[in-house]
Amino acid sequence: MQEIHTTADLIRAASGDPLIVWAGQGFAPGVRAWYDGSAVAVASPELSQRDRLAVAGPPAEVARLVTAVAGEVGPSYRPFGDEDLLRELADRVPGLEFSAAFGWMDTAEVPVVTTTTGWLEGDDGVEELLAVASPSSYAWPGRPGVRRWAAISGGDGELLSIAADAWSAPEVGFLAGVATQVVARGKGLSRQVCGFVTAELVKRHGRAGLMVDRDNPAAIAVYHRLGYTYRRVAAAHF
């Protein structure tokens, strides 16, 4: 097992895998990465509300690497990567249990969206909207890594639809915290907000990514129309 110390070396070890590069977070404080043969693992603390261990590579090599890395960083780090790989790891690594399957989506396209969306100067009204429309959101104002919010507002200034730039890495921006008022749904507002944030992230970082529940086909369809491609991923825990 060899430790990786730079983003350039991580990109080479992971063959440019956007999920792994995103987890690297530009080697922000606390982030560590390793490779063993063709396997790579990135331990990233408090990444999208979890201590995550992003992994990629052949199952046997990744299993060996995960076992070694867990001894370095501790059991709070949850392996995260392609679903088929994570299911194999749960069978190969003692004490590791499969947690959940979901989706990772990313794009390098700048979507063209006509919208009145803009970045908020603060976060007034964001918590209120999330509490009603998306209480399970990982992104909330004030949480580590949540940088800024974009929104469409009504004529009275009330926020109708929002999305956040959160946990973005230098090479991969990240879209999170998407929520729309119930009375404003079905009007294409979330597509406009997500399109605006996606365009901003791609222009700044070169690529944008997000995570989505696999049983949310409406959201997945919106992201597909914005140029995102879907990838089956999963998480496990010790």
Side-chain angles (χ1 to χ4, degrees):
M1 180 175 78
Q2 298 293 320
E3 190 156 1
I4 299 169
H5 298 285
T6 69
T7 298
D9 287 341
L10 177 62
I11 291 172
R12 281 193 290 270
S15 299
D17 184 334
L19 185 151
I20 299 296
V21 176
W22 170 70
Q25 291 288 293
F27 280 86
V31 175
R32 298 178 68 189
W34 300 262
Y35 73 92
D36 182 356
S38 298
V40 62
V42 181
S44 194
E46 295 187 59
L47 179 61
S48 187
Q49 291 298 107
R50 296 285 187 270
D51 290 343
R52 297 187 187 272
L53 183 63
V55 296
E61 294 179 16
V62 175
R64 183 172 63 241
L65 183 57
V66 165
T67 301
V69 169
E72 289 269 342
V73 301
S76 70
Y77 284 82
R78 302 183 175 195
F80 161 59
D82 287 327
E83 181 179 351
D84 291 345
L85 172 60
L86 266 292
R87 291 190 182 279
E88 285 212 40
L89 290 182
D91 291 333
R92 291 172 177 265
V93 178
L96 188 66
E97 297 183 7
F98 188 88
S99 294
F102 45 101
W104 162 273
M105 302 184 76
D106 64 76
T107 182
E109 298 179 16
V110 176
V112 178
V113 179
T114 301
T115 181
T116 59
T117 303
W119 293 113
L120 297 176
E121 292 187 5
D123 51 34
D124 290 347
V126 171
E127 285 198 16
E128 292 80 0
L129 176 49
L130 288 171
V132 172
S134 185
S136 62
S137 171
Y138 281 8
W140 286 76
R143 287 187 176 176
V146 180
R147 299 177 179 176
R148 52 183 178 166
W149 294 86
I152 292 179
S153 302
D156 58 358
E158 182 183 19
L159 302 184
L160 299 178
S161 188
I162 59 173
D165 168 1
W167 305 291
S168 288
E171 304 80 10
V172 183
F174 196 72
L175 170 69
V178 178
T180 300
Q181 294 279 14
V182 175
V183 296
R185 291 175 183 173
K187 301 177 181 180
L189 298 186
S190 64
R191 180 178 181 275
Q192 291 183 46
V193 173
C194 291
F196 170 82
V197 175
T198 297
E200 293 284 297
L201 293 176
V202 172
K203 290 174 185 176
R204 181 172 182 175
H205 302 278
R207 183 172 292 274
L210 59 87
M211 287 189 280
V212 62
D213 290 336
R214 65 190 302 175
D215 58 355
N216 190 348
I220 293 171
V222 168
Y223 301 138
H224 273 311
R225 288 197 294 273
L226 292 174
Y228 286 85
T229 56
Y230 185 89
R231 175 175 174 181
R232 293 167 45 243
V233 296
H237 67 275
F238 286 97

